[in-house]
Amino acid sequence: MRAYERLQAARDAERPTARAYIERLFSERTELHGDRKYADDPAVIGGIGLLGEIPVTFIGIERGRNLEERIQCRFGCPMPEGYRKALRLMKQAEKFSRPVICFVDTSGAFCGEDAEERGQGQAIADNLMQMMALKTPIITIVIGEGGSGGALGLSVANRVYMLENAVFSVISPEGCASILWEDAKLAADAAECLHITAEDMTEFGVAEDMIPEDFAHFSRMCESLKERLVLDLKGYSRTPGEKLAEERYQRFRKLGRWAE
Amino acid sequence: MNNIVGLFRKSRNVLEKGGITPVVEEKMRCPSCKSYETKRAVAKNKMVCPNCGHHYRIGARTRVKALFDRDSFQELFANIATVDPLEFPGYAEKMERGRAVSGETEGVLCGTAAIRRQPCAVFIMEPQFMMGSMGSVVGEKIARLFEYAEENQLPVVGFTASGGARMQEGILSLMQMAKVSGTVGKHGENGGLYITVLTDPTTGGVTASFAMLGDIILSEPKATIGFAGRRVVEQTTKKKLPEDFQSAEFLLQHGFVDVIVPRNEMRQTLERLLRQHGGKGAML
Ligand SMILES: [Zn+2]
């Protein structure tokens, strides 16, 4: 499939949202709310649960499963308090040595007057810096759209997985086309030029691996995802927190291409 | 000291040939208060309108001249060069134009400099180079500067001016946000002081990373600072935004900027802050 078709697939309203993965992957869940500073953002869900026998902190950007939910969580566009809530749960996970599993699915952080007033940029920036130094494993799975800084705010992980049709992009292809070519209809071309597919991400070192999609057999798909995550976490279990942070840092430190 | 009138002298000969007034005596019209001042008067005032205080955007090297001890600036990492990793249509031409307009090879100038003999590591983003957008090279140069500062126990003073991540390098540009934030964190963990100076405009991915991570965040007056572009916000909210939306004053009011410092007071403000953090190294 071409990049733009992948993007359409990633945005498909029928596609399972973060909540569906969380319900399938983790048992004995307690959902936690609020950033302890301003509000609870329904676009970012999070809590504690068991992955097999391992207690973990899960955090996901939720697009909503029906229209009512979608409006409530602004179609999966987090507010600053969403990022601050995520960071609070991650620091809590670090304190109790729990691994963190993040699910990313957003067209981007919310663009609004209130979001700017409450420091959308500052909230994301803080997540990037603090996640980089977190002394517990972080695994991020991009399950749909990985839209720009709003997606990056939950993606500073030790490992990043991309679902087969998930995409990750610095800007929406529509936005790119309208800025560069003053024509949002050229989004398909922009999608191609921007290199946003799961294969592109593994090539650039932005993602470790691609996860095949099989939504017709969603339980089976989640079962194998669960096995993979358990295996990853077992692999991390003997690594000291400092080293996990250092590995994460090195993973990002080398990203980019230049000549010298 | 710190006179930048030379900024306008470069083109003097060309203009004088035709018997025109020396360029420094030419008048320029302030876009804010519409008053006419000679270029010399504006340049002497560090490119701030003597009448209303409008801060003109200035290039990175002009800022070096206006701010740091004479001849103290030593450039670092100038050898890191841009490639076109995605072979993005039109990128090579845009780079070429950026070079021609700004006289720089990329969107950030890095190095060491001194303010009243207090050394610091500095990065200054170049608004004239593709709007100071951040691709792999901008990210790598700033990341190395923080590492250099950490190794050499130097404080970092960074001037931001950017339209955000550079879309022509796709996801690699986005990843620079995380990469640089990581180096900021390490420098800070080891006691390093980082002072950010937000200048017009600081938006997008730069705001959502190292611009907002300073121990102390200063801003030039009236600078536009934000995450989403004003137009995008207006489209989403379908309402007209207040005039001062995303201005430095707006950010100060909402608690995201420590102090607004006019350009004419920037040198003494930085001098004072560096001194109060332990003088030379500004480190424990
Ligand atoms: Zn004026």
Side-chain angles (χ1 to χ4, degrees):
Chain A
M1 272 206 282
R2 289 170 55 88
Y4 197 61
E5 294 167 281
R6 293 281 189 82
L7 177 69
Q8 305 293 2
R11 287 174 178 168
D12 188 357
E14 298 303 308
R15 203 177 163 85
T17 65
R19 213 174 267 286
Y21 291 90
I22 288 168
E23 285 170 3
R24 284 283 193 317
L25 289 170
F26 311 109
S27 60
E28 296 189 51
R29 293 180 308 277
T30 307
E31 195 176 330
L32 305 173
H33 296 89
D35 67 347
R36 297 291 189 275
K37 292 182 171 76
Y38 181 78
D40 181 52
D41 183 359
V44 177
I45 54 175
I48 305 166
L50 295 179
L51 178 77
E53 287 163 5
I54 313 166
V56 300
T57 288
F58 58 83
I59 300 168
I61 304 179
E62 174 61 32
R63 280 188 295 128
R65 293 165 295 189
N66 51 53
L67 189 62
E68 196 187 333
E69 281 187 11
R70 281 181 200 128
I71 291 168
Q72 208 187 11
C73 53
R74 295 172 307 276
F75 297 82
C77 296
M79 292 293 276
E81 49 269 29
Y83 293 103
R84 293 184 182 125
K85 171 185 184 176
L87 185 57
R88 177 176 81 84
L89 298 185
M90 285 191 259
K91 298 297 269 186
Q92 186 189 70
E94 179 183 51
K95 176 176 174 184
F96 299 105
S97 305
R98 278 195 296 270
V100 178
I101 316 272
C102 295
F103 301 86
V104 166
D105 188 12
T106 180
S107 59
F110 188 71
C111 298
E113 197 179 354
D114 40 1
E116 295 292 316
E117 281 173 353
R118 298 206 285 277
Q120 190 69 283
Q122 190 274 341
I124 294 171
D126 212 18
N127 278 24
L128 303 185
M129 189 169 81
Q130 307 267 8
M131 284 179 82
M132 198 66 92
L134 207 77
K135 292 175 185 66
T136 198
I138 307 175
I139 299 175
T140 290
I141 307 154
V142 185
I143 58 171
E145 196 173 2
S148 194
L152 187 63
L154 288 184
S155 302
V156 184
N158 294 77
R159 298 183 77 82
V160 173
Y161 292 123
M162 301 281 297
L163 289 203
E164 191 180 331
N165 290 316
V167 296
F168 210 149
S169 185
V170 64
I171 184 172
S172 75
E174 290 81 1
C176 176
S178 80
I179 293 171
L180 284 184
W181 307 313
E182 288 163 19
D183 187 356
K185 289 190 208 72
L186 296 173
D189 296 335
E192 217 62 50
C193 295
L194 285 166
H195 290 78
I196 60 174
T197 67
E199 287 90 343
D200 294 323
M201 293 311 119
T202 50
E203 197 208 310
F204 294 137
V206 169
E208 270 63 27
D209 208 353
M210 193 168 91
I211 293 168
E213 289 174 7
D214 187 4
F215 299 139
H217 306 93
F218 190 58
S219 322
R220 199 194 297 162
M221 180 185 153
C222 285
E223 210 44 54
S224 91
L225 176 57
K226 189 167 156 184
E227 277 166 31
R228 187 193 286 247
L229 293 173
V230 168
L231 212 63
D232 284 344
L233 294 187
K234 283 193 172 146
Y236 288 134
S237 65
R238 285 172 200 285
T239 316
E242 304 276 348
K243 188 151 184 283
L244 289 165
E246 182 58 25
E247 283 173 7
R248 191 181 311 119
Y249 175 79
Q250 293 303 339
R251 181 186 182 280
F252 282 88
R253 183 62 192 85
K254 60 180 193 286
L255 294 181
R257 289 190 183 171
W258 60 87
E260 58 187 303
Chain B
M1 192 91 170
N2 309 109
N3 191 326
I4 53 169
V5 176
L7 177 65
F8 289 115
R9 287 219 173 98
K10 267 181 275 178
S11 48
R12 187 186 200 170
N13 292 339
V14 189
L15 287 157
E16 279 182 334
K17 264 182 211 157
I20 304 164
T21 358
V23 74
V24 288
E25 299 305 335
E26 276 179 21
K27 300 254 173 133
M28 58 195 286
R29 188 176 189 225
C30 172
S32 179
C33 71
K34 321 284 181 205
S35 72
Y36 289 90
E37 301 281 347
T38 62
K39 288 186 173 174
R40 184 198 299 276
V42 177
K44 272 216 150 141
N45 202 30
K46 300 197 195 298
M47 294 308 289
V48 174
C49 170
N51 187 46
C52 75
H54 168 73
H55 283 54
Y56 289 87
R57 287 182 186 171
I58 57 174
R61 277 181 214 269
T62 304
R63 204 178 277 283
V64 166
K65 276 210 190 78
L67 203 64
F68 297 100
D69 293 354
R70 186 180 304 226
D71 300 326
S72 70
F73 181 73
Q74 302 274 340
E75 189 170 354
L76 287 170
F77 321 124
N79 59 318
I80 303 175
T82 308
V83 293
D84 183 355
L86 310 184
E87 296 177 6
F88 200 98
Y91 187 24
E93 292 75 21
K94 282 225 164 69
M95 284 290 297
E96 198 53 55
R97 208 175 319 145
R99 279 187 207 110
V101 173
S102 67
E104 297 296 329
T105 54
E106 252 296 352
V108 72
L109 182 63
C110 291
T112 54
I115 298 183
R116 282 232 194 134
R117 293 190 299 283
Q118 300 182 92
C120 53
V122 296
F123 71 84
I124 307 177
M125 301 188 83
E126 177 57 66
Q128 294 187 83
F129 191 99
M130 288 184 77
M131 220 35 246
S133 66
M134 173 166 61
S136 299
V137 170
V138 170
E140 183 63 19
K141 282 174 84 171
I142 300 176
R144 284 196 201 181
L145 187 78
F146 276 95
E147 290 172 339
Y148 179 91
E150 191 188 336
E151 263 170 46
N152 294 280
Q153 304 227 323
L154 288 171
V156 175
V157 178
F159 292 80
T160 60
S162 178
R166 187 178 294 170
M167 57 189 154
Q168 289 87 350
E169 290 187 27
I171 200 71
L172 296 174
S173 297
L174 190 74
M175 292 299 144
Q176 304 309 309
M177 293 165 61
K179 177 167 106 178
V180 176
S181 299
T183 61
V184 172
K186 286 214 164 194
H187 176 256
E189 270 171 34
N190 290 303
L193 168 70
Y194 170 33
I195 301 176
T196 327
V197 184
L198 310 175
T199 75
D200 188 60
T202 296
T203 60
V206 168
T207 298
S209 60
F210 54 89
M212 286 292 148
L213 294 174
D215 296 298
I216 297 171
I217 302 181
L218 313 178
S219 175
E220 287 198 331
K222 305 258 169 75
T224 296
I225 305 149
F227 174 65
R230 187 191 183 94
R231 221 159 32 106
V232 181
V233 178
E234 273 178 341
Q235 276 164 12
T236 347
T237 52
K238 311 246 186 312
K239 73 173 211 195
K240 187 103 176 74
L241 293 160
E243 187 70 20
D244 74 338
F245 181 65
Q246 293 183 328
S247 66
E249 292 72 16
F250 173 94
L251 266 85
L252 181 78
Q253 191 197 337
H254 288 96
F256 293 99
V257 163
D258 283 300
V259 204
I260 295 175
V261 182
R263 198 174 286 160
N264 280 302
E265 295 168 22
M266 193 60 79
R267 183 174 154 86
Q268 66 193 74
T269 304
L270 290 172
E271 188 276 326
R272 187 173 63 236
L273 288 170
L274 289 175
R275 184 163 35 81
Q276 288 165 347
H277 283 83
K280 263 175 77 180
M283 284 225 176
L284 297 173

